[in-house]
Amino acid sequence: MKKPLLSVCLLLLLHFFVRAQSMPQGNWQLVDADVLGFVYLSDGVQLIKTDLQGKQVANYQDSYLGDIKQIDCFKGLKNLVFHKDANAIVLLDNELAPLGDPLDLSTKGFYDVSATCLGPDDQIWIADGQTGQLLLVSKNLEVLQKGAVYFNYANALEIEKMVWRNNMLLVLTRSDELLLFDQFGTFSHKFSFNRIEKPYVNYKHVYYVDKQRVLKFNYTINKTDTLFKGNKPIDAVWQSKNQLYLLEENQIEPLNY
């Protein structure tokens, strides 16, 4: 009778170690994930890329450009880092190596950019912090399309996150709002939340944290579902290859619901 019990105990321990994977230690302020199964973490100084076992596979840091304000790593093969204090964008390849020189936004008259993200093809969306206008620019920062003035629709002028999904531009503000704009930057919808933290956006949903809960908001049909409620602080939530993951106490946990 002892051998089956021992076998069960070993299986439970193995299951725990397979499920809970440790990430590199750090005060990770920004977390993103790509469609290829990799996770990206930034503490504001460096950006690291890990697999789902927490093994670091690449890193990026530029002390000359200063702190990292925003990252956009959803595509995986091309990544964007926004150094707000330096007013510069750096494009990285899948190994987090720079694709050319930093893009100095000031050279094109953009002196106060609130947010930026990868757009279609090799294009980039920027939110002009002086005018509030959304602009689609080329990789040489030439203006290709002028969109709406997001100031007209937001309660907070500061942008938490901006992403391009399904030919739509999604803007999350610091006042827990989600603004949707179409492929031309024309305003479409506005959604308000009681509290939205650590958002991750895919092609249909915004996954986010509200205290110790994980929620899923379908912005195509305006529907919110609670996926998980735990008793530990949740540091991040993301989806990769149709699997949802949590980062709790520096451990990756797959979430099945």
Side-chain angles (χ1 to χ4, degrees):
M1 296 296 293
K2 292 183 178 180
K3 287 186 177 180
L5 180 60
L6 180 61
S7 299
V8 170
C9 292
L10 288 173
L11 285 172
L12 288 173
L13 285 171
L14 179 61
H15 179 69
F16 173 80
F17 284 113
V18 169
R19 282 178 51 84
Q21 303 291 344
S22 294
M23 299 292 280
Q25 292 291 333
N27 180 22
W28 307 120
Q29 303 166 19
L30 304 172
V31 179
D32 204 356
D34 65 25
V35 294
L36 304 174
F38 293 96
V39 187
Y40 302 79
L41 306 105
S42 176
D43 57 2
V45 177
Q46 65 172 330
L47 172 67
I48 69 169
K49 176 180 179 179
T50 80
D51 60 21
L52 291 174
Q53 285 68 51
K55 179 183 177 182
Q56 182 173 323
V57 296
N59 75 292
Y60 160 82
Q61 183 175 343
D62 191 323
S63 56
Y64 178 78
L65 294 175
D67 290 349
I68 296 171
K69 178 67 174 180
Q70 292 168 339
I71 59 175
D72 184 359
C73 304
F74 185 75
K75 293 182 177 180
L77 297 179
K78 178 177 287 187
N79 305 286
L80 178 147
V81 174
F82 178 38
H83 296 269
K84 184 171 174 59
D85 291 342
N87 203 33
I89 293 170
V90 178
L91 299 177
L92 308 173
D93 66 14
N94 63 325
E95 296 182 350
L96 301 188
L99 293 166
D101 295 330
L103 304 177
D104 185 349
L105 293 158
S106 301
T107 61
K108 297 297 182 178
F110 308 124
Y111 300 108
D112 181 17
V113 172
S114 301
T116 181
C117 69
L118 294 171
D121 302 322
D122 286 333
Q123 300 164 359
I124 300 168
W125 279 102
I126 65 172
D128 190 329
Q130 291 182 313
T131 65
Q133 191 160 45
L134 301 172
L135 301 167
L136 183 65
V137 302
S138 70
K139 60 182 179 181
N140 298 319
L141 300 181
E142 301 295 338
V143 176
L144 304 173
Q145 178 74 45
K146 291 185 178 181
V149 176
Y150 77 90
F151 284 177
N152 295 336
Y153 308 100
N155 292 326
L157 302 185
E158 191 171 357
I159 294 175
E160 177 76 20
K161 191 178 186 70
M162 185 166 74
V163 298
W164 174 255
R165 302 283 187 269
N166 277 346
N167 288 326
M168 291 188 296
L169 187 65
L170 290 81
V171 176
L172 285 153
T173 74
R174 284 291 175 89
S175 58
D176 301 319
E177 303 164 301
L178 172 64
L179 309 178
L180 267 60
F181 302 86
D182 67 14
Q183 59 183 324
F184 305 109
T186 303
F187 176 74
S188 174
H189 293 88
K190 175 179 177 177
F191 305 100
S192 298
F193 302 84
N194 292 326
R195 181 187 180 98
I196 182 167
E197 293 183 346
K198 305 173 178 69
Y200 177 78
V201 187
N202 69 4
Y203 292 116
K204 287 185 179 180
H205 306 104
V206 178
Y207 297 94
Y208 64 98
V209 175
D210 182 352
K211 297 182 180 178
Q212 294 174 336
R213 297 187 301 161
V214 174
L215 295 98
K216 177 180 72 172
F217 174 67
N218 188 323
Y219 54 84
T220 64
I221 58 174
N222 190 15
K223 183 176 184 293
T224 302
D225 295 301
T226 299
L227 303 182
F228 174 77
K229 185 175 182 180
N231 53 14
K232 295 188 294 186
I234 300 171
D235 299 314
V237 56
W238 70 87
Q239 187 188 49
S240 184
K241 294 185 175 180
N242 296 319
Q243 173 65 56
L244 202 63
Y245 295 91
L246 303 181
L247 183 62
E248 295 180 309
E249 297 180 347
N250 214 48
Q251 302 285 324
I252 302 175
E253 290 280 0
L255 178 61
N256 299 309
Y257 60 93

